[in-house]
Amino acid sequence: MAAIPSSAVNFDDLPDSAFVALDVVTTVTGVSKATVWRMVQRGALPAPRKISLRATRWHVGELRAFLAA
């Protein structure tokens, strides 16, 4: 079993302007990686942002708005 990412454990303490990785998104939504990408594809989950050549991250404020809906 994989360890819970510290960003997920401290998700409530992160500022809305922060960005988190896929493993945090799967933890806070409770769905698999494949399901996260399917949800993004159909517009049910906010799309991630490409923050560098090899890094894609989700905006915490957008995730909070999604989770609150």
Side-chain angles (χ1 to χ4, degrees):
M1 178 152 182
I4 296 174
S6 63
S7 296
V9 172
N10 300 317
F11 186 76
D12 291 338
D13 297 330
L14 294 173
D16 282 342
S17 60
F19 288 90
V20 292
L22 178 59
D23 58 344
V24 176
V25 178
T26 60
T27 302
V28 298
T29 59
V31 299
S32 70
K33 292 177 183 181
T35 300
V36 166
W37 288 114
R38 283 192 294 269
M39 291 172 73
V40 167
Q41 199 170 32
R42 55 176 207 260
L45 184 68
R49 298 182 186 167
K50 192 85 168 160
I51 62 169
S52 74
L53 193 58
R54 294 172 33 163
T56 302
R57 301 291 186 263
W58 275 261
H59 189 260
V60 170
E62 292 174 1
L63 279 176
R64 284 191 178 127
F66 164 78
L67 293 169

